[in-house]
Amino acid sequence: MKNTIITIDLATSVFELAIATPQYRITQRRRLDRDAFRQFIHEQEPALL
């Protein structure tokens, strides 16, 4: 299991994500609609949300 932290800013139609290391260093940011968010979460390895 890769140690990853994913934070999610929930909104009505767009979700903003920040993906970080266990040391809280942000490695990636994404802005996804509902369908893309669902697909993203489905494809992720286990992580802390």
Side-chain angles (χ1 to χ4, degrees):
M1 178 172 125
K2 183 178 178 183
N3 293 326
T4 303
I5 301 168
I6 301 173
T7 61
I8 306 166
D9 180 9
L10 300 174
T12 304
S13 61
V14 176
F15 300 95
E16 297 210 22
L17 308 175
I19 302 165
T21 66
Q23 294 78 30
Y24 302 106
R25 181 176 181 157
I26 295 174
T27 58
Q28 196 176 147
R29 293 180 191 264
R30 289 186 161 188
R31 187 175 188 159
L32 305 171
D33 63 19
R34 285 185 177 273
D35 292 330
F37 175 73
R38 185 179 304 122
Q39 186 67 28
F40 173 81
I41 293 298
H42 178 74
E43 294 173 353
Q44 285 301 305
E45 295 182 19
L48 177 64
L49 295 178

